[in-house]
Amino acid sequence: PVKPSVSEPSPWMLAEWKKIQACGSSVESKERELGIPIGGLARIGAVWAVSIGALAAPMYANPCHDPIGVRLRADDGRKWAVPGSHNGLFVPSSFVGYGPLFMPEGMTDTAALCGLGLDAVGRPSCNGGRELAKTFAKMAARPVIVVFSPTPSDEETVTILGRSTLAANTRSYVNGDRVARKLTAMISESAGNSPRDPLGTSTVATPVAFCRI
């Protein structure tokens, strides 16, 4: 199992990640299989780990430093991590720098948004990486949209995230249909890829919006 979020990477994990990178292959075929816009997985540093038979993506506590963990995802949807990994955030190699910062859950959702040319920083799970996510969002100095799945645990996690550090008034809910429609249209129009699941929403007033998928 992945250990709790920390800032120091494991030397053994880093060595394994370097091996995976050195022997990894292109993820373009996996992007097509998963309906992710081409370039999305590559933008978060993911590679196909040939020796493991899984997608591998680094997780960070600080994007300026080495990764603190590596998430693995098999073709059948199984998810695990390189031994010695700690929960961190999926971070793109570069940021567009304008518009909202999206905070989805998981490797592939983060890659899907990054592949659309949006700025997204992914949480490792509904509850994982919460403190790192809060810190990153506070430093963003831009609107933040937390994307989450419609499950009670996820909704509770995101609500706590907003109340504790991000939103000035989480009781001030507004209609999020406009955000959802725009995202859905962008995903649907992505060349050569099938759209992800349609978005429905429940949002909170800026600086944070909750967007349910």
Side-chain angles (χ1 to χ4, degrees), residues 130-131 133-135 138 156-170 208 210:
R130 182 186 296 177
E131 294 303 317
K134 289 191 293 188
T135 299
K138 285 194 294 185
E156 179 183 0
T157 296
V158 170
T159 302
I160 291 172
L161 180 68
R163 284 178 179 162
S164 57
T165 60
L166 303 180
N169 181 3
T170 57
V208 176
F210 298 160

Side-chain angles (χ1 to χ4, degrees), residues 50-138:
V50 178
S51 61
I52 302 173
L55 282 170
M59 297 182 288
Y60 295 88
N62 184 329
C64 297
H65 297 164
D66 287 327
I68 60 172
V70 178
R71 176 72 74 224
L72 301 170
R73 185 189 190 280
D75 280 341
D76 61 7
R78 286 182 300 114
K79 300 170 187 175
W80 70 105
V82 169
S85 291
H86 299 279
N87 273 332
L89 304 177
F90 300 105
V91 182
S93 55
S94 62
F95 287 88
V96 176
Y98 58 84
L101 174 68
F102 292 88
M103 299 195 81
E105 175 197 334
M107 178 200 306
T108 52
D109 283 2
T110 306
L113 290 171
C114 285
L116 292 171
L118 303 172
D119 283 345
V121 172
R123 295 137 44 221
S125 63
C126 64
N127 291 308
R130 182 186 296 177
E131 294 303 317
L132 292 176
K134 289 191 293 188
T135 299
F136 206 102
K138 285 194 294 185

